[in-house]
Amino acid sequence: MESFGKILKETRESKNLTLDIISRDTAISKQYLEAIEEEILDVIPGQTYVSGYIRNYANYVGCDAEYLIKLYHAKTVQESATPEDLLKIKKSPWLTVLWVFIGIIIAAALAVGGWFLFKFIKERKVEAQAVVSLAPKAPKEWTLTTSQENFRVYQGDVLVVPFASGAKKITVEGTSRILTLSLGNNTQIIELGEDVAIDVDGDGTTDINVYVSDLSTTSSSDRGAEITAYVRSGTDTYIAEFDDSLITDAAALGQGREVKVLIEDNRAYPFTFQATFRGNCLFRYQVDRADAVEKYLSSGETVVHTANNAARLWMSNANTVKLTVTGDGHRADTEIEKAGQVLVEDIRWIKEADGVYKLVVVTVD
């Protein structure tokens, strides 16, 4: 069985990251990080926190967090020993008689309870005939963007994926026990709790991610399926239209404002920001001229969105947010701010007098 600790350690070392840096950025004790890498987890008080530590560590170094957590749980189950007292129980004739007597009593109780349960279910079925079906009357279309959005989809609904060459549609074929999606000539099956990256246009690169968080475990499809879906950044999907007229002159920013340059180039272009959270935070963002979106997010969650020209971000606890900005092959990370700090920032293009374009982060008062 693979070692989740070894995978994390090798990934960290391949990126020349030290435990001190990761401890500072994730607020996880260096001692706990060492324990995770060595898989000596008894030193971590409260085993309920181990999964969260592994998730945050994995997200920071770019590993598959869900896979590593599965390895951790598998190791925990494998190392769990059978209590010694249970192995030493000796059989006794009287004990056998006692268990037979208890079994008869339980069987009688189950028989009586089963009769009442049957009667109760029969009555409920009669009542259920008057209940309106949860399924929508007509199929809906859901257009995906680079933001992670939640949908409840039903059989016949359509997921629309924008491409530069024209939108492509994915049809929901089934929502009972598994989510079945039709991509024209191909069919994609996704199980409950599974996060799948899908190549929509067949060019060998993944275009969208779909995660199933709720699904009917029976043959009925009336309940539909709760999914989280978004367009992956870095593909030719969801091409943003850039409006050069919205670029701000550097001189117009005013004096005394804190400005950090993320990308510098001879032209401006759409950019994608990814906010990764390592704690609870009320997060609101407004992209270009769209309406603001507000979410309450916790450790391990992310928000990804593509902006044409600018994005304004509100953070109730800036220390919990790590921002990564990418555009046209460039990548930049913002600094972690102070704990408990309420922060408002603009990410936008500015143009210097010499014609140089800069993508900057500007603190808003």
Side-chain angles (χ1 to χ4, degrees):
M1 183 174 69
E2 288 188 278
S3 166
F4 64 86
K6 183 178 180 182
I7 292 174
L8 287 170
K9 184 176 182 181
E10 290 178 349
T11 303
R12 172 179 64 79
E13 292 175 344
S14 69
K15 295 185 178 181
N16 295 322
L17 293 171
T18 66
L19 291 176
D20 290 325
I21 293 176
I22 297 176
S23 176
R24 181 197 66 196
D25 290 346
T26 63
I28 301 175
S29 167
K30 179 181 178 182
Q31 178 187 4
Y32 295 167
L33 294 174
E34 291 175 342
I36 290 172
E37 287 190 349
E38 300 299 327
E39 298 189 10
I40 305 175
L41 304 177
D42 292 340
V43 301
I44 301 178
Q47 293 297 301
T48 56
Y49 295 106
V50 176
S51 295
Y53 289 156
I54 294 175
R55 183 188 301 278
N56 289 349
Y57 189 173
N59 287 333
Y60 185 88
V61 299
C63 289
D64 187 339
E66 298 302 328
Y67 177 67
L68 295 185
I69 291 174
K70 288 180 181 178
L71 291 180
Y72 158 64
H73 288 312
K75 176 181 175 65
T76 303
V77 172
Q78 186 180 37
E79 294 180 351
S80 297
T82 302
E84 185 177 350
D85 292 342
L86 295 180
L87 299 176
K88 295 181 178 180
I89 296 177
K90 297 181 180 179
K91 294 184 178 180
S92 168
W94 289 105
L95 184 60
T96 301
V97 173
L98 177 62
W99 278 115
V100 170
F101 179 71
I102 293 174
I104 294 172
I105 295 176
I106 292 175
L110 289 175
V112 175
W115 182 83
F116 282 106
L117 180 61
F118 172 76
K119 184 178 180 181
F120 175 79
I121 292 175
K122 186 175 180 180
E123 292 174 354
R124 283 291 181 268
K125 284 184 177 180
V126 173
E127 294 176 3
Q129 292 176 357
V131 177
V132 178
S133 173
L134 296 177
K137 295 181 179 179
K140 291 184 178 181
E141 287 193 355
W142 307 92
T143 300
L144 305 188
T145 69
T146 52
S147 294
Q148 296 186 30
E149 301 291 344
N150 296 328
F151 310 100
R152 179 163 289 276
V153 296
Y154 299 88
Q155 187 172 354
D157 282 2
V158 175
L159 304 180
V160 181
V161 184
F163 280 85
S165 58
K168 295 187 181 298
K169 297 185 176 182
I170 302 173
T171 303
V172 179
E173 287 194 342
T175 60
S176 60
R177 295 192 176 93
I178 57 174
L179 175 65
T180 306
L181 303 177
S182 174
L183 290 78
N185 297 329
N186 299 320
T187 299
Q188 179 71 56
I189 295 175
I190 308 176
E191 297 182 355
L192 179 63
E194 190 175 13
D195 189 350
V196 175
I198 302 175
D199 177 8
V200 178
D201 57 357
D203 64 353
T205 60
T206 53
D207 303 302
I208 66 172
N209 269 64
V210 178
Y211 170 73
V212 179
S213 57
D214 184 45
L215 195 66
S216 174
T217 57
T218 68
S219 58
S220 173
S221 60
D222 288 350
R223 182 176 173 182
E226 184 80 17
I227 68 171
T228 301
Y230 64 93
V231 175
R232 296 171 64 90
S233 58
T235 69
D236 65 343
T237 53
Y238 201 62
I239 300 299
E241 296 180 0
F242 188 77
D243 186 355
D244 191 73
S245 66
L246 296 178
I247 297 177
T248 304
D249 288 332
L253 285 179
Q255 300 295 325
R257 301 185 69 180
E258 183 179 348
V259 179
K260 178 182 178 182
V261 179
L262 300 178
I263 299 174
E264 186 173 329
D265 211 329
N266 59 3
R267 63 186 181 88
Y269 35 77
F271 62 89
T272 299
F273 70 84
Q274 175 175 311
T276 304
F277 297 83
R278 60 177 188 172
N280 296 331
C281 179
L282 182 62
F283 185 71
R284 183 154 54 108
Y285 59 91
Q286 183 178 19
V287 176
D288 299 321
R289 295 171 176 172
D291 294 335
V293 177
E294 184 172 284
K295 296 182 177 181
Y296 186 78
L297 298 151
S298 56
S299 178
E301 294 188 287
T302 61
V303 170
V304 181
H305 210 296
T306 297
N308 299 345
N309 295 83
R312 172 162 290 187
L313 312 179
W314 292 262
M315 293 156 274
S316 67
N317 186 3
N319 182 252
T320 64
V321 186
K322 178 184 177 183
L323 284 174
T324 300
V325 180
T326 57
D328 197 36
H330 299 280
R331 173 191 170 104
D333 295 325
T334 66
E335 296 178 357
I336 300 296
E337 302 295 341
K338 298 178 182 178
Q341 180 181 8
V342 178
L343 186 65
V344 182
E345 291 182 331
D346 281 346
I347 305 175
R348 62 168 58 248
W349 282 104
I350 63 172
K351 185 178 181 180
E352 298 284 1
D354 58 2
V356 175
Y357 292 87
K358 294 179 179 180
L359 184 63
V360 300
V361 175
V362 183
T363 301
V364 180
D365 295 334

